[in-house]
Amino acid sequence: SNLPKDPSTYPYNYLGLEIRPMVAQFAKDRIAKHHLTGIVEFVGCNANIDLDRLLRLYQTQASQANKDDNAPLLLQRVSIQYPDPHFKKPHAKRRVVTEDLVDTLAKYMPLNHQEPCAPETSSLVFLQSDIQSVLDGMRQVFGNCTEYFQDAHPDVDYYMPDNILKVPTEREVSVLVRDLPVYRAVFYRTATPWQERVVEESLTESEEESTTDDDDSEDNAKRHP
């Protein structure tokens, strides 16, 4: 295992989200083996569908725990590591990092009021991939949401050289062993409170045609009583 030997030294509790049920179960079976019960957990789910529900449930339970223990149980870090690239255009909607996902994270992550932000104390999102275009795509989606997230490095051609988590994934180990590059970026949560987006409903083409036809019919009726 790449984890520290003493679980009591871990600064966080960790929850892993995995869309493949068998992989999630495989990961869950390894928790006790590495003496991480109560520190690490895995959930089989689709982050693009279930994330808001999971974080809302966690926030409710954490709020109660805070009252009991006076301990700040906050969503301090989010890591999105080596997601499926989904290169084909028809599959682009399956990509993990979407505008809705970024908005959900902005909703639940604590605000950063200090300047400058620091990985040790600030709430952040850590991104990494061994495919440059995948990292650039995730970075662009977060970069489009400057109200809530700030790139740690404004130069989009700059990639962080090190894994800030200090614990490489198995994918990362296999990539580095072959002396291949890993592309990384960090986004800090800003001090701007989250506000629910107003989604403007647009008419479909068929609805627009129907509306136009109805308008024409009304005009004709007025001209020809």
Side-chain angles (χ1 to χ4, degrees):
S1 172
N2 295 311
L3 294 170
K5 299 299 182 182
D6 183 7
S8 66
T9 63
Y10 300 166
Y12 306 102
N13 291 326
Y14 301 88
L15 174 64
L17 307 183
E18 170 56 53
I19 195 170
R20 295 164 294 181
M22 292 184 63
V23 176
Q25 186 59 51
F26 176 75
K28 287 173 68 73
D29 293 341
R30 301 171 74 181
I31 293 175
K33 175 182 177 182
H34 294 291
H35 310 290
L36 296 172
T37 301
I39 298 173
V40 175
E41 187 54 83
F42 293 92
V43 173
C45 69
N46 184 333
N48 291 120
I49 296 175
D50 302 312
L51 184 61
D52 186 84
R53 176 179 58 83
L54 288 171
L55 293 182
R56 184 170 63 252
L57 177 62
Y58 172 78
Q59 187 181 63
T60 300
Q61 295 182 347
S63 296
Q64 184 59 49
N66 286 343
K67 294 177 182 177
D68 296 339
D69 303 329
N70 196 30
L73 301 176
L74 303 175
L75 178 63
Q76 194 70 22
R77 287 186 173 185
V78 174
S79 302
I80 304 175
Q81 306 185 70
Y82 305 94
D84 193 319
H86 291 300
F87 289 121
K88 296 181 179 179
K89 286 187 177 181
H91 297 165
K93 62 182 179 181
R94 300 180 186 175
R95 292 172 183 165
V96 173
V97 177
T98 64
E99 183 179 346
D100 287 341
L101 182 131
V102 173
D103 188 67
T104 299
L105 294 179
K107 178 179 178 180
Y108 291 101
M109 295 187 75
L111 310 182
N112 285 325
H113 294 287
Q114 65 179 27
E115 288 289 345
C117 295
E120 298 78 14
T121 57
S122 304
S123 58
L124 59 84
V125 178
F126 175 56
L127 310 172
Q128 67 171 347
S129 174
D130 56 330
I131 303 173
Q132 185 176 3
S133 62
V134 172
L135 190 285
D136 290 344
M138 294 191 291
R139 195 173 195 173
Q140 182 177 10
V141 178
F142 274 95
N144 290 339
C145 191
T146 55
E147 183 178 11
Y148 299 132
F149 290 98
Q150 177 183 7
D151 198 326
H153 295 275
D155 184 358
V156 295
D157 293 323
Y158 174 87
Y159 302 96
M160 299 187 68
D162 301 313
N163 181 340
I164 65 170
L165 303 178
K166 309 299 183 184
V167 180
T169 67
E170 293 180 349
R171 172 73 177 181
E172 186 173 357
V173 171
S174 69
V175 170
L176 296 178
V177 164
R178 289 176 286 160
D179 200 27
L180 297 174
V182 174
Y183 304 93
R184 306 180 179 94
V186 164
F187 281 83
Y188 291 110
R189 181 68 171 88
T190 67
T192 303
W194 176 82
Q195 291 185 334
E196 188 170 2
R197 289 184 298 168
V198 177
V199 180
E200 296 182 1
E201 296 184 1
S202 58
L203 295 176
T204 64
E205 185 175 341
S206 59
E207 289 173 329
E208 289 177 349
E209 291 176 354
S210 176
T211 301
T212 301
D213 292 343
D214 291 343
D215 291 342
D216 290 343
S217 298
E218 290 179 4
D219 289 342
N220 290 332
K222 291 178 181 177
R223 287 195 295 267
H224 305 285

